[in-house]
Amino acid sequence: MKLFPYGHATHPQWRMAAGLVLAQLRAQMTLPDYAAEPRLALVYITDHYAHEAQALLDHLRQELPEVTDWTGTVGVGIAVNNAEYFDEPALAVMLCNVPPAHYRVFSGVSPLPAHWADAALVHADPATLDLAELIDEMAARTRQGYLFGGLTSSRTRSVQFAISADQPQSLVAGGVFEGGLSGVAFSSQVNLLSRVTQGCQPIAPEREITEVDQHLVLKLNGEAALDVLLDELNINLSEPQKAIPVVRSTLVGLSPSGQSGVGRTGNLGNDVLVRHIVGLDPARQGVAVAEHLELGMRLTFCRRDVHAARADLVRVCAEIREELEPEMLSIQAISALSDDPVPTLPQGGQRIAGAVYVSCTGRGGLHFGGPSAELQIIRHALGDVPLVGFFAAGEIARNHLYGYTGVLTVFTAD
């Protein structure tokens, strides 16, 4: 599998941005290390172009007739190798060199057959009813139960792209949708590595939920949940002006029953779902959480933390590097890359042909220390590899909907 051609640009006029992107794609497709005839395209736009989404897609398809299948969505920001475009008109396209027999574009008008694929890249409208159930159902349609992707984020239209020449029924809508789920599924012949990186740090010990009423935590380890929260945060409801801002900045990390969500290093694990505290119930001594809760779940109070987010992002990149080159690169060795601005993988083993990164809208930019800092960390760790993605209103990994996380997925080849 050769490298995936990709391009990105910003311009107030979408036609000018598209022209710049097309020039980059065509130039790369002439290079020996890049794929010359890919058929699958991932396209991400910022919401500045959302109202022109259909015209933009039509233009790209006309200019690249050899590319028959398209999928993607819109975000308030989009991600590319070493840079992010936030709150500005921008476009990114990556052409994936995957054999047509081993992927399938799906949408509401062209559903994914059950158990055909091993994994799927999913884009979803956050306004869709019963979204968590739909994501779980979609994961069940894959053999590995693995999804990766995110929820559209837009201040205008929440558009998705999904069109395939092999599925004539999808042509009716022109390839631009609003609502529901869409994306592209991959067979077991497509090698993928995917990791979730958390953006929060625990600020209290993990406890078991021992009494619950739907969204309301009543007791933690047998103690009144509200008392535990106030004690851990060192606040008192008799001083609401001091207490309310502290509660608002506090989140909860949830893990399944019997499964610890805090690792040996004190960081949140991959399976932890971070949710907001949405209310306090002094009468019942409860804490309301934006998630349906079950008895026995593990809960820890946490806060967003830039240092934890940076360290965890480096960790997941290191894990991917180690899996690609297990004999040559350990996780600890990632620190040795600090003197190499654009490290490359050793010869042998596997290489990264392309990557997709979906990050939370609350993570980009200054949360990592400056503009594009998050993507620069990935570039520093993985090297100069083709990468596109977007900043989402919620991130999807496996059959879960996350918040304040990043989902990094790479396509690998020998």
Side-chain angles (χ1 to χ4, degrees):
M1 186 183 294
K2 292 189 174 183
L3 293 173
F4 296 173
Y6 79 110
H8 51 93
T10 176
H11 197 279
Q13 300 179 17
W14 68 262
R15 286 185 180 274
M16 294 297 294
L20 295 169
V21 168
L22 289 165
Q24 296 170 55
L25 294 172
R26 287 166 177 153
Q28 291 177 13
M29 291 165 72
T30 65
L31 301 176
D33 286 342
Y34 285 82
E37 298 179 345
R39 287 186 53 181
L40 172 65
L42 306 183
V43 54
Y44 295 107
I45 62 173
T46 59
D47 54 3
H48 294 72
Y49 295 153
H51 286 300
E52 291 80 30
Q54 187 65 66
L56 190 154
L57 178 61
D58 291 343
H59 178 72
L60 292 174
R61 294 182 66 211
Q62 183 177 2
E63 292 294 317
L64 294 171
E66 66 275 24
V67 180
T68 57
D69 308 301
W70 297 78
T71 188
T73 192
V74 60
V76 294
I78 60 175
V80 297
N81 183 331
N82 209 42
E84 62 189 34
Y85 296 96
F86 238 103
D87 200 24
E88 59 182 322
L91 163 70
V93 177
M94 185 166 71
L95 307 181
C96 303
N97 184 34
V98 179
H102 297 305
Y103 70 83
R104 184 169 297 183
V105 173
F106 62 88
S107 66
V109 298
S110 182
L112 178 67
H115 307 303
W116 177 86
D118 259 30
L121 168 60
V122 175
H123 310 114
D125 190 326
T128 302
L129 295 176
D130 300 322
L131 184 56
E133 289 79 2
L134 288 175
I135 290 172
D136 193 56
E137 179 186 345
M138 178 62 69
R141 287 179 170 269
T142 67
R143 294 173 182 171
Q144 299 296 327
Y146 197 92
L147 307 180
F148 60 98
L151 307 187
T152 293
S153 62
S154 176
R155 292 159 294 192
T156 56
R157 296 179 61 200
S158 296
V159 298
Q160 301 171 44
F161 303 102
I163 193 165
S164 172
D166 296 332
Q167 299 165 349
Q169 61 267 40
S170 64
L171 299 176
V172 176
V176 176
F177 299 85
E178 291 185 65
L181 280 64
S182 67
V184 56
F186 301 98
S187 77
S188 59
Q189 300 302 306
V190 180
N191 296 324
L192 298 170
L193 291 176
S194 192
R195 294 290 187 275
V196 177
T197 174
Q198 299 279 3
C200 297
Q201 182 75 15
I203 59 172
E206 191 176 38
R207 293 176 171 88
E208 181 181 347
I209 298 177
T210 50
E211 188 175 342
V212 64
D213 183 4
Q214 298 185 34
H215 296 271
L216 190 66
V217 184
L218 295 173
K219 289 188 178 180
L220 293 169
N221 284 2
E223 300 181 59
L226 182 57
D227 288 342
V228 174
L229 173 67
L230 298 178
D231 183 61
E232 292 291 355
L233 301 184
N234 193 27
I235 56 175
N236 194 308
L237 293 183
S238 64
E239 301 177 294
Q241 290 184 334
K242 176 184 176 182
I244 290 175
V246 176
V247 173
R248 284 178 174 170
S249 67
T250 303
L251 304 161
V252 299
L254 300 168
S255 305
S257 176
Q259 181 176 323
S260 176
V262 181
R264 289 175 295 177
T265 60
N267 295 321
L268 296 180
N270 291 343
D271 293 325
V272 175
L273 303 180
V274 176
R275 296 293 186 261
H276 287 280
I277 295 174
V278 295
L280 305 178
D281 187 344
R284 302 180 67 186
Q285 292 290 288
V287 178
V289 176
E291 179 70 23
H292 185 80
L293 304 169
E294 296 179 1
L295 200 65
M297 293 179 75
R298 310 281 293 178
L299 182 149
T300 182
F301 298 110
C302 55
R303 288 203 180 105
R304 294 176 61 199
D305 182 88
V306 60
H307 300 294
R310 290 175 65 94
D312 202 56
L313 182 56
V314 170
R315 176 188 63 81
V316 300
C317 290
E319 287 182 357
I320 290 174
R321 291 282 305 259
E322 183 184 35
E323 191 156 345
L324 292 172
E325 295 291 337
E327 301 273 329
M328 302 181 184
L329 186 71
S330 66
I331 292 180
Q332 291 76 17
I334 196 69
S335 60
L337 300 173
S338 59
D339 295 328
D340 184 359
V342 186
T344 55
L345 286 173
Q347 297 299 312
Q350 292 184 307
R351 70 183 300 188
I352 297 174
V356 176
Y357 187 57
V358 179
S359 185
C360 178
T361 54
R363 283 170 56 94
L366 298 178
H367 182 62
F368 278 81
S372 300
E374 184 176 10
L375 276 301
Q376 289 169 3
I377 292 172
I378 296 175
R379 160 78 171 249
H380 184 84
L382 296 187
D384 187 12
V385 299
L387 181 148
V388 297
F390 70 107
F391 290 87
E395 304 76 60
I396 298 170
R398 294 178 292 277
N399 62 334
H400 297 310
L401 182 59
Y402 288 81
Y404 300 109
T405 61
V407 180
L408 177 61
T409 306
V410 300
F411 296 81
T412 67
D414 292 338

